[in-house]
Structures are given as C-alpha cells and as structure tokens.
Amino acid sequence: MFAPDVQGPMSTRTSELVLNEAPSVIMLGGPPFYLGGFRVETTQLELGLRNLERIVEAVPVVILEHHALRDESWKQNLAPVYHQAFNSDHCIMTAAEYVGNENVFLESKRKQLYQGFPPSAEFKQWTKTLRGKTIAKPPL
C-alpha cells in the first residue's frame, strides 16, 4: 500500500482504512514533527504516533517517508513505534534502508544547507512565481 501523505496517520479513519486493507507492506508518511507547536497541535502528533504504532503492529513491513523524516529528531520521536515493531517481529525502515542504501536526510538539514549553499536570487524569484501557474523549469 502506498499512503504518502497521511502524516502519521493523524486521522484515525485513515488508520482504520489501512488496517482493514491489511497490507503486507506499506509506504507512508509519518507524523510531521517539524510542524509541531505552530502548524500541528501536539495532540495530533501524539495521535499520529499511536496510530502508527497500531499499523506497525499489524503490517509486517512499514516504510517511512517524508513527513517524519524532515525533523532531525525523527528517530527519537519514533522510538515507541520502533519498539512496537520490534515486539511484533515486524520491521520499520526508510525507503533508502529498504533498498539497501544509506539515509541522506537533506530536508532535515535545509537551514544549514541554505546557509552553506544559498539559492541564487534568480531561483528565489522563480519560487515566487509558482502559485497557481504552470510550473516552468527552475533556473539552475
């Protein structure tokens, strides 16, 4: 099952849909920790974690993707989920780990990368033109 933008899932209805389908492998976006406290309430993140624990208990292979991994503390934040997967003899991993590659978390290092490698003025201007229009190729 491919469920990339479920953010945990923070929705219990989405969690139930996943569990009712009973996939053997699922790729899903975990809770968006990086948005906690200003765009996403802590209670929503906690619900996403609880629902994710239920999923790793039921689904043998869980592949995490973008939302949870955007925070540098993602592994610590997901410790209860990893513990549940271990206790269920299931596995939880990133897509890179699934294909045998090393994790490279560029998104969680966005601020540092922008400081060391700032985008050009031309690129910044291009990003301001994206709203509601056909996307042109970015200036490189």
Side-chain angles (χ1 to χ4, degrees), residues 57-128:
E57 182 179 22
V59 180
V61 178
V62 175
I63 303 168
L64 285 175
E65 53 102 22
H66 71 290
H67 284 296
L69 308 177
R70 287 181 174 172
D71 187 288
E72 288 186 290
S73 301
W74 72 273
K75 192 82 172 212
Q76 296 90 324
N77 292 333
L78 290 172
V81 177
Y82 274 81
H83 183 72
Q84 181 63 52
F86 178 80
N87 286 342
S88 302
D89 202 26
H90 290 168
C91 60
I92 180 170
M93 63 189 76
T94 66
E97 292 166 343
Y98 184 75
V99 297
N101 291 335
E102 185 177 328
N103 289 315
V104 179
F105 299 114
L106 298 177
E107 186 66 33
S108 69
K109 296 176 180 12
R110 180 191 293 237
K111 288 180 184 176
Q112 299 95 310
L113 290 170
Y114 268 44
Q115 287 176 352
F117 306 95
S120 68
E122 184 183 30
F123 181 82
K124 287 179 185 178
Q125 182 59 39
W126 174 80
T127 63
K128 294 176 183 178

Side-chain angles (χ1 to χ4, degrees), residues 7 13 16 21 23 56 75-76 108 122 133 135 140:
Q7 300 184 350
R13 183 174 179 203
E16 293 301 326
E21 289 297 319
V56 298
K75 192 82 172 212
Q76 296 90 324
S108 69
E122 184 183 30
K133 298 180 180 179
I135 298 176
L140 300 176

